Amino acid sequence: MTTRLTVPTDRPYDVVIGNGVHEQLRGLIGFGLGVLRVAIIHSPTMAKQAEILREPLVSDALEVHLIEVPDGESAKNADVLAFCWKVLGEAGFTRSDVIVGLGGGATTDLAGFVAASWLRGVRFVNVPTTVLGMVDAAVGGKTGINTGEGKNLVGAFHEPVGVLCDLDVLRSLPAAELRSGLAEVAKCGFIADPTILDLIEAAPESLADASSPIVAELIAKGITVKARTVAGDLRETGDDGIGREALNYGHTFGHAVERFEHYRIRHGEAVSIGMVFVAEVAHRAGRIDQDLLDRHRSILGTLGLPMTYRPGIWEALSSTMRLDKKTRGDQLRFVVLDGLARPAILAGPDEQLILDAYRAISS
């Protein structure tokens, strides 16, 4: 079964979820728009899949360039970005040509920023190949790279013209990557759709099988939350409330953990730790009760995700968090809950309170 969700922004686009949906790439390229060239930016593990996408496009007389970039977060830096620009320049890429991002969230983040920055913006399609990529990075138009100072500090808002989530590729996904992606799905449950949490609790035995109908349903629900949230606040202005910032639940502390670990920890694992940390913060601030704090640990434990982090490095983590995109001036801001599915901002919390929350997850 194929599910089609529309992201209703100023330039609406569809997210197609199902088995074998990569075959719809030809329809998204836009042959009537003067396309001559397609660049498929992919990780080494997706080389075979890139060839599969390439073949029908070449048959349609398109010039297809495969641009292989490093796996994971190591692809998201200025050197790799410049390499991609060089390939596009040498190939003569014009504004009517198309970029395809094939891979996990890091690859689609990079591909989107390549598309946003080349000739001030060309069209691109995302073909995410991990649960994390499907429910988070591929939808919403946030693109970017990392710097030595932090994650995603350089980037642009640039929406794709379509997203193809082919569930067939998940069958070879390592168990740890599946768990990492499901952390972002659980986040969507805490901030917006509690039925996600109910599904996780009701069928824990299905969560390790990427081909199970439950995992497919969780992916669709996570994407629905992302699409609905993004449509209401594309550029994260928060003019009508918390808006898109809600999607950063667990990310302020999680990004600091990722940077401290030099991105050797998976994004979803770091976000899992970040969600427990910020739940501890919210509980100490009187925003959530003990039951909701405990449910964080129960849900994330069911998914086999980490919930604690190393002690003794608070200063390093705190310094990194102050570079977070939500920080205003020298005031830390955290996305917290005021109850299940009620995200809010906690600005300038007491330093001792957040230190106590850190000690609670590192003891």
Side-chain angles (χ1 to χ4, degrees):
M1 186 175 71
T2 298
T3 301
R4 185 178 294 269
L5 305 171
T6 299
V7 185
T9 58
D10 291 341
R11 295 181 177 180
Y13 58 93
D14 286 346
V15 182
V16 185
I17 310 161
N19 301 100
V21 299
H22 72 270
E23 296 174 358
Q24 298 186 34
L25 178 61
R26 295 168 73 187
L28 289 175
I29 294 298
F31 293 104
L33 300 175
V35 181
L36 296 177
R37 303 166 193 86
V38 176
I40 301 176
I41 298 176
H42 66 92
S43 63
T45 54
M46 285 293 114
K48 183 176 180 181
Q49 188 68 21
E51 286 288 352
I52 292 173
L53 294 185
R54 177 180 178 273
E55 288 175 10
L57 301 180
V58 171
S59 297
D60 288 323
L62 291 176
E63 183 181 308
V64 182
H65 299 266
L66 302 184
I67 306 178
E68 185 172 292
V69 298
D71 273 317
E73 294 293 326
S74 56
K76 291 174 57 175
N77 63 60
D79 289 339
V80 177
L81 177 65
F83 166 71
C84 294
W85 287 336
K86 184 174 186 292
V87 174
L88 298 182
E90 290 175 346
F93 249 65
T94 69
R95 190 164 284 169
S96 62
D97 296 325
V98 178
I99 289 170
V100 176
L102 172 67
T107 305
T108 57
D109 278 356
L110 171 70
F113 191 41
V114 172
S117 54
W118 186 253
L119 299 178
R120 298 187 178 90
V122 299
R123 294 185 308 125
F124 80 108
V125 177
N126 273 332
V127 187
T129 59
T130 64
V131 175
L132 179 62
M134 292 176 184
V135 302
D136 185 36
V139 178
K142 271 190 176 181
T143 71
I145 60 171
N146 306 327
T147 71
E149 289 67 43
K151 184 170 181 178
N152 296 331
L153 294 180
V154 177
F157 291 98
H158 189 60
E159 295 176 90
V161 296
V163 180
L164 300 176
C165 300
D166 195 329
L167 301 179
D168 285 344
V169 301
L170 299 182
R171 293 174 181 170
S172 59
L173 196 67
E177 288 293 341
L178 175 59
R179 290 194 297 269
S180 176
L182 290 175
E184 287 283 357
V185 178
K187 176 202 74 179
C188 292
F190 284 116
I191 66 170
D193 184 359
T195 66
I196 288 173
L197 308 181
D198 296 338
L199 273 174
I200 291 171
E201 291 169 330
E205 68 285 348
S206 300
L207 303 176
D209 180 4
S211 63
S212 76
I214 294 296
V215 170
E217 185 176 359
L218 286 170
I219 289 171
K221 283 180 174 290
I223 293 172
T224 299
V225 169
K226 180 75 181 279
R228 185 171 62 237
T229 306
V230 165
D233 185 20
L234 180 63
R235 295 185 176 271
E236 207 170 277
T237 61
D239 290 340
D240 297 316
I242 186 171
R244 186 172 181 158
E245 272 195 284
L247 296 168
N248 289 314
Y249 187 61
H251 283 56
T252 298
F253 189 83
H255 282 169
V257 168
E258 285 185 279
R259 186 187 170 214
F260 189 84
E261 298 292 338
H262 302 287
Y263 304 105
R264 289 189 293 264
I265 186 172
R266 290 177 174 83
H267 176 70
E269 294 169 343
V271 168
S272 175
I273 297 167
M275 284 192 283
V276 178
F277 167 79
V278 82
E280 290 279 359
V281 169
H283 180 58
R284 283 167 166 72
R287 309 286 283 262
I288 66 172
D289 59 22
Q290 185 68 45
D291 287 345
L292 186 49
L293 173 59
D294 291 343
R295 198 175 188 193
H296 280 72
R297 296 184 184 276
S298 173
I299 290 288
L300 298 170
T302 295
L303 292 172
L305 289 161
M307 294 174 284
T308 60
Y309 192 55
R310 65 174 77 186
I313 55 169
W314 174 248
E315 290 302 322
L317 296 173
S318 178
S319 176
T320 298
M321 285 192 289
R322 292 184 188 282
L323 271 176
D324 184 82
K325 297 183 294 298
K326 292 178 294 303
T327 298
R328 302 292 184 267
D330 61 352
Q331 188 181 67
L332 277 174
R333 297 166 79 246
F334 292 97
V335 178
V336 297
L337 298 179
D338 279 336
L340 186 57
R342 293 172 55 200
I345 293 293
L346 176 61
D350 180 78
E351 189 72 26
Q352 187 61 49
L353 184 150
I354 57 177
L355 177 57
D356 289 345
Y358 168 67
R359 286 171 174 164
I361 69 162
S362 62
S363 61

